[in-house]
Amino acid sequence: MLDTPEAVVEALRENHDRPHGLPRTVTAEELVEAAEPFEKPDVLVTALLELMTAYEFTGEHRKSPVVFARLLRLWETVPESFSEWEAHQVFWRFKWVTTSLLQVPDVPLATVQGWIDRMRGFYEAAEHGMQPVAAMRYHVAAHTGLGAHDAYDLWVTRPRTELSDCEACEIRYLAGHQVTVGDDAAALEVWHPVLSGASGCSEEPQMSQARALLPLLRLGRTDEARSHHLTGYRQARGNTGMQHEVGLHLEFCALSRNEGRGLEILAENRPLFEATGAPLDRLGFLTGVEVLLARLAEDGHTDTPVAGPPGRSWTALELLAYVRSEAEKLVSAFDARNGTPAVGERRGARLAQRPLLDEPLPLGLRTAVTRSPAAAPPAAAVRGTAVDLPDDFVSLVREARRMTTEGHPGSIRVWTRVTERLADGSGAHEDSLGPADLLEAELAEHRARLHAHDDGRRTDSVAELRRAAELFTGLGMPWHALSARARALAWSTIPDTGDAAPESARSELDEVLREAQRLLAEVPLSGEPVGEEEAAFGSEVGSERELEYLALLFSCAYAAHQDVLRELPEASDLALERFEDATRRLRSEAERLGMPHQVANARQFVGELAARRGELDRAEEEMRAALKDVAEAGRPWRATRPLAMLGQILLSKDEPAEAAEVLHQAIVEAVRHDDTEFPMAATYSLVGHAAAHSGDFTGAVRHLTEAATRYDQESAFDDATEARLQLADVLARGGQQADAVAVLESVLSDEAAGSLDERLRAQARLTLARGLRELSEYLASAEEFLRLADAVAGWEDDPAIQTLVAAEAAIALAMADRWDAAATAYERAVAAHAVAANPSLITHMMCEFARLVMLARGADGVDEALGHLTRADAVAAAVPEDTETFTAWYESGTVHYRRARVLAEAERFPDALIQAEAAVAAHEQGGEHGEVPRAEAVRVAALIEGNGLERYDDAVVRLTAAARRCRHANLTEAAEILDALREDYLTRQGA
């Protein structure tokens, strides 16, 4: 019942603690009505201020000035009803009225100017400075485009006052002016305190983050742009008071070529289409939507389903027409009200922008709708060769054959172009290319190569190679036939082909080798072409036979390598012997024939096996030798794989800096030589891992982000998730917890999470829950822990996870002030501990509950808090001695420390000091590992002695000895903290 002033005040207090949104606003309106009948208007004043706040932060700018007018009437008639804080708010909120009126085109400019004049009068009468008034005049000038520069100078040259906008908001306006005049660099310099987190408020940094996105992109500061998009959008998402900011994030997605991400943001913010209380911000939102939809339409995606105003389905083209119409109406209204074209010109400038990047900026997010990568132009130059693909079809095929002979990875693109020309009729076989079946056999080999790295289509590759072998046999090209047959058999030994069993494949490969030996006598590697088929290769027929012969030996070595890998970690002597024979034969024959690139291949097999068996020095030696062989061969494109393997070996040897350099070189060479088969995603992931371990935080984030995006493009979603989990970990460890949470939220979005391995999904949810807790989003954290608890409830093979989740959920619920649910989770954790013991976790939970109870209830909660600590003692006492996962001295010291804090807050100082000293003694047992917690326990003991018991001399002696000990242990910061407290006590003694 809201029939007393006290009841309304209590309801106002509860409502103030709710997040901004429609429920809070509706309740605020109801509380104003409830406060109106009371004889004294003081409660009504409070209720009106609360309602105005609700309107301001939910974008109801049409209504805010009406509420303020009521407040002014009360101020003029019963000023004694205003508390000191409420009186201050009357002057402060004049600014809100000005900005709210500017938002509504129905309000004449004269009315806006009249409010500013009234504000000036109020300020003069109260002898307040005029800087806030000058700021309001600047906002009007900037909005209308009339006299903005002069108004800016009048504003910024006046000193700030206690009624000036908060520093963070003022920085936003100052930086925005620099963007308007075209100086992005100056704007970002002004913005630095806000964007770096040094300055903030309830609206910042999220508003500035949205506005800084395009300046950052224009200056090439893409890492910062990515970060501010991730963290800023989380705060703007679904917030009707941040329509304009959501529009800026949509614009950023369009101009960074992340249209898929933009469509997801549009879907998440569908209700914003119905938010009409702030017309200027609505225009900002609609313009951002229009920028995104115009990009989609330009790319030909007019029929793409998109999320628009609720109540019907929309295509991109339909929504574009609707948004354009609504925006144009608003622009006409504003420009008519202002008498200037400024609003329309600003909208036109936004719509005229072109994408700022050539390729999509990797965001690190799991996006359900991805932008199709642009197809490479048919006549694209083969990078690294400076040779354009010829238009003449015969020349095109000959170029493909030449590059295949060289083993150049760019041959894939050339053969693909040959296939396209045959399919669209712009190319046709000619006799000068040899028999038609020869070209068909080569195309079959090409198709086999295309599918070779697709786990789901490797069987197709084997079938294509067998088809090629049959064609070569029919053509009288035995070396080519044997080589294709050997590759088919080697690939069939990979488990996912579902083809011949390894034993059968080995037997057939042995037969292929015997046939090769017979063929060496019948059709020697050097000699004249046997017929027109081989003659099609021109004067290089001998080299062709040698290449096919060595390719055959390579296939045998590859199959033997697969056999050994399949048996690891304990490979049989027979498998190892076959492997050694195969690689030795490949190497010796390659050396005899002068083919160092195949020598390199043999070394790579040996080196990779050595690495897997832990022989890292030998593995590194083989890879470095392989790279020298590649250089001798004059085929730099073959360096990519040994470089990648060397990078992995260096990582295993804990040499991350050199590993990152080598892996990056592998990527550069793959791009330079158009190596589409190179595992880019996996290599970027490794570079990110190496960068993280070498302390290169920025590089780790960039490369892991790239890896996740490339895995998405390959539909390797579990690999993408693993990359994102590592990315989130790096972000969190680098102090960018909000970025980490944004990445994890995308991983666990409803559509994405359904395809994840349940263990990966659980790990992602656990990390997200912990991240939300670090951001003080306690209720959201608790909800994630509860979802995780449901997910792992049936994991009978891993009961320990249930203990962990229940304990962490209990803590999060308590932090979120959900004590009943927290108590239930607490007891569930204790019960789970009885099944799957985790004493460190349980004692931590109990200590945290003791801390949180005192935080929530103060001295009234002391008995409950001490009860939790008594239970913690019992858990620790039940742990068997020498339990590896339980450090008794640390756990005992932690419980004593927490008990000391609880007793001190209850002003039971003698008992508290006993517990603090017990904590010091416990941590003493930890040796060097206990020095940090020991120093903290000493600090608390000294606080109890000095502040609680007023025994300053004893406290000073204690602190002096402890600070000396910290310096001896190189704990400089701890020593400085203890010294500061000591100096404080000495000062008090002197006083």
Side-chain angles (χ1 to χ4, degrees), residues 356-386:
L356 297 169
L357 303 174
D358 294 331
E359 298 291 336
L361 173 66
L363 299 176
L365 302 176
R366 167 73 168 91
T367 303
V369 185
T370 55
R371 185 178 189 271
S372 300
V382 179
R383 286 168 285 184
T385 63

Side-chain angles (χ1 to χ4, degrees), residues 177-413:
H177 181 78
Q178 298 301 323
V179 173
T180 301
V181 300
D183 195 340
D184 288 337
L188 291 169
E189 185 175 348
V190 172
W191 252 319
H192 179 72
V194 172
L195 296 181
S196 67
S199 180
C201 65
S202 60
E203 295 180 332
E204 292 294 348
Q206 56 267 32
M207 284 190 167
S208 288
Q209 286 175 317
R211 287 161 173 76
L213 293 172
L214 295 188
L216 287 166
L217 276 190
R218 286 193 289 262
L219 293 178
R221 293 162 63 172
T222 53
D223 291 335
E224 294 168 80
R226 176 196 302 114
S227 175
H228 290 309
H229 169 64
L230 295 183
T231 59
Y233 173 67
R234 286 193 72 249
Q235 299 302 314
R237 180 175 56 201
N239 187 340
T240 55
M242 298 192 73
Q243 279 181 291
H244 180 64
E245 285 69 28
V246 173
L248 292 175
H249 283 283
L250 289 168
E251 179 181 64
F252 165 78
C253 290
L255 300 182
S256 66
R257 297 188 182 273
N258 278 284
E259 293 90 340
R261 166 71 170 163
L263 291 179
E264 289 191 345
I265 290 176
L266 199 58
E268 290 177 334
N269 292 276
R270 201 170 186 181
L272 296 189
F273 283 103
E274 299 179 308
T276 59
L280 188 59
D281 282 350
R282 175 174 169 78
L283 176 60
F285 169 67
L286 293 175
T287 303
V289 175
E290 188 173 351
V291 172
L292 172 67
L293 296 175
R295 287 288 311 130
L296 290 170
E298 186 175 324
D299 283 350
H301 300 301
T302 54
D303 294 330
T304 298
V306 297
R312 58 159 289 188
S313 299
W314 298 86
T315 65
L317 186 61
E318 291 168 341
L319 184 59
L320 177 60
Y322 169 81
V323 166
R324 187 168 286 159
S325 173
E326 291 293 303
E328 287 174 353
K329 291 176 189 175
L330 287 170
V331 165
S332 297
F334 277 111
D335 285 349
R337 188 271 299 270
N338 299 336
T340 70
V343 172
E345 288 175 351
R346 284 195 290 272
R347 174 172 175 267
R350 287 179 69 183
L351 295 175
Q353 296 173 107
R354 305 299 302 161
L356 297 169
L357 303 174
D358 294 331
E359 298 291 336
L361 173 66
L363 299 176
L365 302 176
R366 167 73 168 91
T367 303
V369 185
T370 55
R371 185 178 189 271
S372 300
V382 179
R383 286 168 285 184
T385 63
V387 175
D388 290 335
L389 301 187
D391 291 329
D392 175 68
F393 185 71
V394 171
S395 299
L396 184 68
V397 173
R398 286 177 176 163
E399 176 67 6
R401 286 173 174 169
R402 182 190 69 79
M403 296 183 74
T404 301
T405 297
E406 292 182 349
H408 196 295
S411 63
I412 288 182
R413 197 180 298 279

Side-chain angles (χ1 to χ4, degrees), residues 807-835:
E808 297 217 39
I811 294 170
L813 286 163
M815 286 178 165
D817 203 28
R818 299 295 193 269
W819 286 99
D820 289 343
T824 300
Y826 181 104
E827 296 303 334
R828 187 184 301 122
V830 172
H833 168 66
V835 177

